[in-house]
Amino acid sequence: MARTHRKPLPFRNGCKGALFGVYAVLAALSATGAHAAEFDINGMTLGMNAGQVVARYQELRPQGQYSFSKWKLPEGSEWVANGRTLYNDIANPDDMEHERMQFAFTGLGSGNKLFAVRRELKFRPSQRPSTESIYAAAVQKYGEPSYLGKDDTGVWAAWKFSAVDASAEKLESSLGCIGTSDFPVGLDDPTAGKAAKSAEFCGLYIELTVRGDQTGLANELDMAMMNHLDLARDFDADNQDARKRIEAAKAKNATGAAPAPQL
């Protein structure tokens, strides 16, 4: 499936952020059902389309900035491939909160839906939660982790689900199923190729890292979630849809194209 890059939509400017601190973080983490994990990060739920993601972000960060990039088929159809957000509470330079988010979406044939999300949050110095409270809220939301590590200054955990209705499997170590430097740019050939090999190994995978200090208070939170389970099938659906669109355009152009030039 061909892809072309378009210039990203411009950031929506905004400096003064809504007061949305750690209490909202913990509330989002702790809202959970008793028997099933919720596959979202701060309300950015796997399966959302880009419009829903933007609406949720504007609800949380009215003054936040965001940019989404589209890919395009030769016949003109477009879809959102990826996105990112930026929030710096520069209205409070001595007590700032920072947030970055990244998103990756499938193509048109599979519904152009969110399949991977990452969030990096640096807490406002005056509103630092404890590392243990963040971990406890994550367990309440996602269930007991597959893997857990702790030291004097932080907590890191991972959840691997082999099915959306299953409990997290136990692991001897984290699997590194979501890259930091190679976060997906969308559902393209390389991502689909990796997913075909990693679907069983990674499943639906969640990572959580909380960094703080020896006093027990957290400085920053790093979370990521990616559903490897359906990507190969979604990529097939995207390609089938692309072929249909291109073939339809080809049939239309066969009769509606300009006449051949004089040879």
Side-chain angles (χ1 to χ4, degrees):
M1 179 172 57
R3 89 182 188 210
T4 58
H5 290 285
R6 295 184 62 196
K7 184 178 180 181
L9 299 177
F11 276 124
R12 296 197 175 183
N13 293 324
C15 295
K16 184 177 180 181
L19 181 60
F20 178 74
V22 61
Y23 301 111
V25 176
L26 297 180
L29 283 170
S30 61
T32 181
H35 302 292
E38 295 180 12
F39 297 119
D40 71 272
I41 293 179
N42 202 26
M44 305 297 182
T45 305
L46 297 183
M48 277 183 167
N49 60 40
Q52 291 170 322
V53 169
V54 169
R56 173 63 177 169
Y57 183 67
Q58 290 182 314
E59 177 186 347
L60 297 174
R61 302 286 196 191
Q63 301 301 320
Q65 303 171 347
Y66 59 88
S67 175
F68 285 75
S69 298
K70 292 184 177 182
W71 290 348
K72 185 177 182 179
L73 289 174
E75 49 77 57
S77 296
E78 295 181 334
W79 66 98
V80 175
N82 58 70
R84 57 194 176 101
T85 70
L86 171 67
Y87 176 78
N88 295 313
D89 185 12
I90 60 176
N92 296 282
D94 297 325
D95 193 29
M96 291 183 69
E97 180 185 32
H98 308 267
E99 183 185 58
R100 307 285 187 275
M101 298 194 78
Q102 292 178 272
F103 311 99
F105 299 86
T106 67
L108 291 172
S110 57
N112 201 193
K113 60 191 179 184
L114 183 68
F115 72 85
V117 55
R118 176 180 291 279
R119 184 188 192 198
E120 298 172 81
L121 178 65
K122 293 185 178 180
F123 297 111
R124 195 181 304 279
S126 66
Q127 296 179 347
R128 294 167 62 197
S130 72
T131 55
E132 287 295 335
S133 69
I134 296 175
Y135 171 66
V139 171
Q140 185 177 1
K141 184 178 181 73
Y142 303 119
E144 291 295 328
S146 301
Y147 173 77
L148 172 65
K150 295 183 179 182
D151 61 18
D152 290 343
T153 61
V155 178
W156 52 97
W159 290 257
K160 177 201 171 179
F161 299 89
S162 294
V164 295
D165 57 352
S167 299
E169 298 180 9
K170 290 300 180 182
L171 301 171
E172 294 184 1
S173 64
S174 60
L175 300 179
C177 289
I178 309 173
T180 300
S181 60
D182 60 345
F183 187 82
V185 296
L187 187 50
D188 55 5
D189 291 273
T191 302
K194 291 179 182 178
K197 300 175 182 178
S198 64
E200 182 176 352
F201 179 71
C202 291
L204 195 159
Y205 199 76
I206 304 170
E207 293 179 341
L208 168 75
T209 301
V210 185
R211 303 179 185 90
D213 57 35
Q214 292 179 332
T215 69
L217 294 181
N219 293 320
E220 58 187 78
L221 167 71
D222 189 349
M223 296 184 67
M225 177 183 295
M226 181 170 173
N227 185 5
H228 299 75
L229 294 170
D230 303 323
L231 288 187
R233 181 182 63 195
D234 288 342
F235 190 62
D236 286 342
D238 293 345
N239 278 326
Q240 291 176 20
D241 177 77
R243 284 192 290 269
K244 289 179 181 179
R245 292 173 185 269
I246 293 172
E247 287 300 320
K250 185 176 180 180
K252 180 180 178 181
N253 291 339
T255 57
Q262 183 176 354
L263 303 177

